[in-house]
Amino acid sequence: MDSASQDINLNSPNKGVLSDFLTDVPVDPGVAPRTPAVEGLTEVEEEELRAELAKVEEEIVTLRQVLAAKERHCGELKRRLGLSTLGELKQNLSRSWHDVQVSTAYKKTQETLSQAGQKTSAALSTMGSAISRKLGDMRNSATFKSFEDRVGTIKSKVVGSRENGIDNLPSSPGSGEQPLPDHAPF
């Protein structure tokens, strides 16, 4: 009998042991292999234990068959009710999300993040006001006024000379003699 056609006993003490370490012993399906009796057991006790083991293994097989039948019946009922695995998954996720939202940890975290957002917003607002004030102070400084006056003087010279028909700026080829548009002062 080849090893591929033999049933695997999940209750075997050799479960998970590599087959290289096991020796092939011919097994007659009607006769259980004899092992030496464990010390302290009589032959009658050993026979009783073997009978009980066979009974338990048979019950396990029966329970697996019953479970498989129940699972098929459950699947059929769900199909007839229009319940799908995806629908159940959505329902479970929805229920889990609801459970998270009502948890005290979620509420505390939400409250903390809300407070942090308010404090950050206030800090950014204060920083923006400070930057505006500094830019205003800079614009009113003597250095900035001097710079603004120089730019204004240069602009008036360029714009004034163009209005008089004098073009001091080099023109690019193909630009035609179109005047530059007048821009409002800074």
Side-chain angles (χ1 to χ4, degrees):
M1 184 179 219
D2 71 318
S3 62
S5 65
Q6 293 179 1
D7 288 333
I8 297 174
N9 183 351
L10 298 177
N11 295 321
S12 168
N14 296 325
K15 175 176 57 175
V17 177
L18 296 176
S19 60
D20 295 343
F21 299 109
L22 301 176
T23 58
D24 288 336
V25 177
V27 176
D28 183 6
V31 178
R34 284 301 218 164
T35 58
V38 178
E39 286 184 36
L41 287 181
T42 65
E43 201 166 302
V44 172
E45 291 173 328
E46 183 181 346
E47 285 300 318
E48 288 175 0
L49 290 175
R50 287 188 187 279
E52 185 178 348
L53 175 63
K55 182 180 175 184
V56 169
E57 286 177 341
E58 185 179 315
E59 288 175 355
I60 290 171
V61 169
T62 303
L63 288 172
R64 284 187 181 142
Q65 291 170 347
V66 169
L67 178 61
K70 293 283 186 183
E71 286 176 339
R72 281 191 303 273
H73 184 64
C74 178
E76 177 64 22
L77 291 173
K78 285 180 179 181
R79 186 189 63 74
R80 290 177 64 192
L81 288 171
L83 301 175
S84 66
T85 306
L86 182 59
E88 287 180 18
L89 180 62
K90 285 180 184 179
Q91 185 179 10
N92 288 342
L93 288 175
S94 177
R95 189 177 314 120
S96 297
W97 178 243
H98 174 73
D99 292 345
V100 166
Q101 286 180 323
V102 297
S103 71
T104 55
Y106 179 84
K107 288 179 180 177
K108 286 181 180 179
T109 303
Q110 186 181 25
E111 183 179 313
T112 303
L113 290 175
S114 176
Q115 290 174 355
Q118 290 171 356
K119 289 180 181 181
T120 302
S121 177
L124 290 175
S125 176
T126 303
M127 188 173 71
S129 298
I131 289 172
S132 282
R133 205 174 348 62
K134 289 292 183 185
L135 287 174
D137 292 347
M138 188 176 83
R139 187 159 192 220
N140 293 331
S141 71
T143 306
F144 189 82
K145 291 228 182 258
S146 172
F147 176 74
E148 189 176 33
D149 289 342
R150 287 185 185 158
V151 170
T153 304
I154 292 171
K155 182 183 178 212
S156 65
K157 286 182 180 178
V158 170
V159 172
S161 63
R162 294 195 120 225
E163 289 175 354
N164 294 334
I166 304 169
D167 190 0
N168 294 335
L169 297 175
S171 61
S172 60
S175 66
E177 290 297 321
Q178 299 176 352
L180 291 174
D182 187 23
H183 293 294
F186 294 23

